[in-house]
Amino acid sequence: QITLKESGPTLVKPTQTLTLTCNFSGFSFRTSGVAVGWIRQPPGKALEWLALIYWDDDKRYSPSLKSRLTISKDTFKNEVVLSMTNMDPVDTATYYCVHKPYNDISNLFDPWGQGTLVTVSS
Amino acid sequence: NFLLTQPHAVSESPGKTVTISCTRSSGNIASNYVQWYQQRPGSSPTTVIYEDNRRPAGVPDRFSGSVDRFSNSASLTISGLKTEDEADYFCQSYDTDNPGVFGGGTKLTVL
């Protein structure tokens, strides 16, 4: 069974850098093709894909947020970290960690973590 | 880049059938697979359809997906509606630059 769990601050101030950690179990970055990503959802709004990191350390970023995002992984700790700089109140959202299966051919994200709500406010 | 447009909300009675559309703004809808996710209030999204029309294990066959090249849209159809189907539904596709393009979501009310 695959599980993912997000952790990090629930409140950040404007201009600060947000760092979120995703700890997962049930799969490994040692498996060719697997990836882990981040998706966010402002309260009452739509989903927005942010970043993705593959087993071979290939990284993809949302074109609109690329300059603010950094994603990294620790294969041994089964961990993925997302950093987002220069946080703004519009970045208030629930941030989800997601698994992309090794044999996926459709950019399917399954399963999702429980999500962590991050509020940006002074 | 492209957009995926969904109706904001739909409603239907228990036992009936409802279809939610997802229209791609540019490019061919059939060029890239479409996924559908269900999000119940207070929960994380879960997959109900992937690769246009495939159901994950555990998803009832009341859920089906299709793609129409002429309207450049994907559709999620739920038959035999149950109150437990009440949720937000999001479509998702991708292109070479963006693995995750999501629709705006459709709120399904079963009343």
Side-chain angles (χ1 to χ4, degrees):
Chain A
Q1 180 191 7
I2 291 173
T3 63
L4 308 101
K5 188 171 184 179
E6 307 87 350
S7 61
T10 58
L11 179 66
V12 297
K13 294 183 181 344
T15 75
Q16 287 186 335
T17 294
L18 170 69
T19 300
L20 295 173
T21 301
C22 173
N23 290 103
F24 58 84
S25 63
F27 68 96
S28 170
F29 274 120
R30 295 182 180 86
T31 301
S32 176
V34 79
V36 172
W38 290 90
I39 293 168
R40 71 178 179 180
Q41 184 177 36
K45 296 190 177 181
L47 301 164
E48 180 182 18
W49 172 75
L50 300 177
L52 195 62
I53 187 164
Y54 288 84
W55 89 102
D56 61 356
D57 213 38
D58 184 22
K59 300 163 187 171
R60 305 290 173 90
Y61 295 102
S62 164
S64 62
L65 293 167
K66 184 174 183 177
S67 63
R68 299 174 54 203
L69 296 172
T70 303
I71 191 169
S72 63
K73 64 178 176 60
D74 186 323
T75 300
F76 299 99
K77 295 171 67 176
N78 280 356
E79 186 176 278
V80 172
V81 175
L82 180 75
S83 295
M84 179 180 289
T85 61
N86 195 24
M87 293 292 285
D88 183 271
V90 300
D91 297 313
T92 294
T94 296
Y95 287 75
Y96 294 100
C97 180
V98 297
H99 165 256
K100 184 178 180 309
Y102 74 96
N103 57 350
D104 170 55
I105 60 172
S106 63
N107 282 305
L108 167 68
F109 302 117
D110 186 277
W112 298 48
Q114 65 185 24
T116 184
L117 176 61
V118 178
T119 302
V120 184
S121 175
S122 54
Chain B
N1 276 339
F2 62 93
L3 300 176
L4 294 173
T5 301
Q6 300 179 234
H8 181 68
V10 296
S11 62
E12 190 50 273
S13 302
K16 300 290 189 180
T17 297
V18 69
T19 297
I20 299 171
S21 63
C22 171
T23 302
R24 179 165 171 159
S25 62
S26 62
N28 188 348
I29 189 73
S31 296
N32 307 100
Y33 287 114
V34 175
Q35 275 69 247
W36 290 90
Y37 302 96
Q38 176 193 67
Q39 186 177 33
R40 294 192 172 107
S43 296
S44 304
T46 60
T47 308
V48 291
I49 293 290
Y50 69 103
E51 294 177 14
D52 295 342
N53 53 22
R54 300 183 68 176
R55 277 188 314 276
V59 174
D61 60 5
R62 300 185 297 105
F63 289 80
S64 63
S66 63
V67 169
D68 180 5
R69 295 170 184 258
F70 295 104
S71 61
N72 214 35
S73 296
S75 294
L76 172 69
T77 298
I78 311 171
S79 60
L81 276 169
K82 300 183 177 184
T83 55
E84 68 200 47
D85 299 331
E86 192 162 286
D88 293 329
Y89 291 86
F90 294 90
C91 60
Q92 176 245 327
S93 192
Y94 53 94
D95 62 18
T96 52
D97 294 324
N98 192 337
V101 179
F102 288 92
T106 299
K107 182 178 180 60
L108 170 62
T109 301
V110 181
L111 38 64

